Amino acid sequence: MKSDFSNNAVPVSAGERHRILDVLRGLALLGICLANFPEFSLYSFLPHEAAASMPTAEIDRAIRVLQYVLIDGKFYTIFSILFGIGFSIIMANAARRSPDGFRIFYRRMAILLAMGFLHLMFLWSGDILMLYAALGLLLPWFRKVPNRGLLLASAVLLLLPVGLDAAKEAAGVDPSAPVVRAQQYFCARFGITEVNFSTWLRDAGGYGDVFRFLVQGAFVRLQEFIDGNRVFKVMGLFLLGFYIGRNRLYAGLDRRGALLRKVCGFGFAVGAPVSLLYAWSALNGCPWGLSVHAALYAFGVFPLGAAYMAAVCLWYVRHGENAVFKVLAAPGQMALTNYIGQSVLGMVVFYGVGLGFGADTGLAYVMAIAAGVYLFEAFCSLCWLRFFRFGPLEWVWRMLTYGKRLPLLK
């Protein structure tokens, strides 16, 4: 059967890659691993009394604060901006190389959507790929929007959750209530209760128990998207990344020192103190209300995430040959494989179908395990890329996208 795609439609070659994007992607993967493993370990689900009885309870409390100040939301911000940049590159390449360029883009997003669904339902309820792919399908609509319009739309979308939470508080409505009822239905059907919720996955006797938990977890994830207004936040970050990608601000960083210093200075000056207030609000049940908490998120998380990116770019300009960048770039070059790999390793370490360390491990040890997992992935990525052109999942994704077999070996 004849392929729908032009023979000129091929993925980006190694020579066309910009290493700083892989470095930033690798940094984002590290932060995401540190952010997600408290949930993989089931620590985030433990009752207060159980967490307080851990031998590491004192240091765990301090780490929890640092998590909210330095990690929570910041690396997902970086990851989302990078996806927006990546989408802009994919669309530009597709449009330049093939008359069916946008069909290729939509096919690529559809495959990512399917991968995200499989990840959500069979590995981990915290999947973000489905949302990324679904919103990525909308990005071609913005390709003719001028730069100022992209920045304005991004700002509106990033601040919109503040107004939405204020409206929800004023109206007393709960948009996620139907999803919560669906989640409660499956919990009741499977016997998942408040008592065994935090230990269910640790005590899982087989993968069937894990799958049952993941079914209800999919509704928890949907609730998080609704309550956190995640669609608007991610789309706002995508458009910011799309603007950066369209204008190739990631290229020629040595000429962008002034801009990077401004972003870095503003981001740390505003984002760091506001993130302290955000951490206090999150750890105390949002005592100032949802709209204030959303404002603290917007003016704490997003600027600090941007500051991290700018600081790394400035460091890269001065010390681009430093070995740290090589360690970061390798997992960043095969980000899809490593993102899914973190879920697999989390299951192996913490769930009953693996080593079963979940619900019994203090946060200090959880973070050490997360760092170890990332270093393991970095080592494997460095070894893999010595011989292969793409990560294994990236290779499959590309072949399904372009409808032809692509060489894997270098």
Side-chain angles (χ1 to χ4, degrees):
M1 181 175 178
K2 187 177 179 180
S3 173
D4 290 333
F5 303 109
S6 166
N7 289 330
N8 294 323
V10 293
V12 175
S13 68
E16 295 176 282
R17 297 188 72 91
H18 286 267
R19 188 172 180 237
I20 185 58
L21 297 181
D22 290 329
V23 168
L24 290 170
R25 209 171 283 116
L27 175 69
L29 283 169
L30 170 60
I32 287 170
C33 192
L34 294 173
N36 288 345
F37 264 55
E39 291 197 15
F40 272 121
S41 69
L42 313 179
Y43 180 88
S44 296
F45 304 141
L46 291 175
H48 175 74
E49 298 76 13
S53 67
M54 295 277 186
T56 56
E58 289 296 326
I59 190 171
D60 289 347
R61 281 191 284 271
I63 292 174
R64 197 64 167 164
V65 173
L66 291 175
Q67 264 196 311
Y68 276 107
V69 175
L70 301 176
I71 297 175
D72 187 65
K74 284 75 175 178
F75 294 93
Y76 127 77
T77 293
I78 297 174
F79 211 46
S80 299
I81 291 174
L82 288 168
F83 257 80
I85 295 173
F87 289 155
S88 75
I89 295 172
I90 292 168
M91 280 195 289
N93 287 332
R96 185 177 74 248
R97 295 177 176 179
S98 168
D100 294 318
F102 286 105
R103 185 185 298 181
I104 293 174
F105 176 80
Y106 286 126
R107 183 181 178 96
R108 189 172 175 86
M109 291 303 101
I111 294 167
L112 184 64
L113 186 70
M115 288 181 170
F117 176 77
L118 295 174
H119 182 228
L120 176 77
M121 296 306 304
F122 295 101
L123 287 177
W124 190 51
S125 302
D127 173 75
I128 196 68
L129 297 178
M130 277 191 69
L131 181 61
Y132 278 8
L135 294 179
L137 290 168
L138 304 179
L139 277 179
W141 299 358
F142 292 88
R143 67 185 185 275
K144 295 183 180 179
V145 175
N147 286 333
R148 183 174 295 183
L150 284 178
L151 291 176
L152 178 61
S154 174
V156 169
L157 287 167
L158 293 177
L159 294 176
L160 186 59
V162 180
L164 291 175
D165 281 346
K168 285 190 286 188
E169 287 181 309
V173 298
D174 183 5
S176 66
V179 178
V180 173
R181 287 194 292 271
Q183 185 255 345
Q184 291 172 342
Y185 165 79
F186 283 103
C187 282
R189 180 176 178 180
F190 299 145
I192 302 172
T193 67
E194 290 185 7
V195 175
N196 63 23
F197 192 90
S198 62
T199 57
W200 179 277
L201 291 170
R202 182 201 64 189
D203 299 336
Y207 181 77
D209 288 336
V210 173
F211 180 72
R212 283 185 275 275
F213 194 89
L214 291 174
V215 170
Q216 66 82 36
F219 290 96
V220 174
R221 188 59 168 165
L222 183 56
Q223 179 195 358
E224 291 172 350
F225 285 164
I226 296 171
D227 290 344
N229 300 300
R230 188 67 68 89
V231 169
F232 305 107
K233 294 175 183 177
V234 169
M235 196 64 195
L237 293 170
F238 276 6
L239 292 182
L240 178 57
F242 193 70
Y243 167 85
I244 294 171
R246 171 197 281 179
N247 293 279
R248 293 177 57 82
L249 298 182
Y250 54 84
L253 290 177
D254 54 332
R255 303 190 304 271
R256 309 194 190 280
L259 174 61
L260 292 172
R261 285 190 290 272
K262 286 181 181 178
V263 172
C264 192
F266 175 82
F268 281 117
V270 174
V274 176
S275 287
L276 284 169
L277 295 174
Y278 165 71
W280 186 88
S281 176
L283 292 168
N284 290 276
C286 308
W288 297 322
L290 291 178
S291 57
V292 173
H293 187 72
L296 294 174
Y297 188 100
F299 291 101
V301 168
F302 300 140
L304 198 52
Y308 288 172
M309 293 183 73
V312 171
C313 288
L314 287 169
W315 185 25
Y316 183 81
V317 169
R318 296 180 182 179
H319 308 286
E321 298 306 315
N322 192 294
V324 171
F325 294 116
K326 185 177 181 181
V327 173
L328 289 172
Q333 192 172 335
M334 36 193 291
L336 178 62
T337 295
N338 284 309
Y339 176 71
I340 301 294
Q342 288 176 7
S343 299
V344 174
L345 292 171
M347 290 180 66
V348 169
V349 173
F350 295 112
Y351 294 179
V353 292
L355 300 176
F357 289 156
D360 296 316
T361 307
L363 188 57
Y365 291 119
V366 169
M367 301 304 279
I369 292 170
V373 164
Y374 180 80
L375 290 175
F376 173 75
E377 288 192 324
F379 173 77
C380 291
S381 299
L382 285 165
C383 294
W384 179 272
L385 291 172
R386 288 185 63 186
F387 305 101
F388 302 102
R389 295 160 52 89
F390 312 111
L393 289 183
E394 285 78 7
W395 182 55
V396 172
W397 188 17
R398 281 164 169 78
M399 287 197 297
L400 292 174
T401 297
Y402 294 98
K404 55 187 172 185
R405 182 175 178 82
L406 298 170
L408 180 60
L409 282 171
K410 286 185 174 179

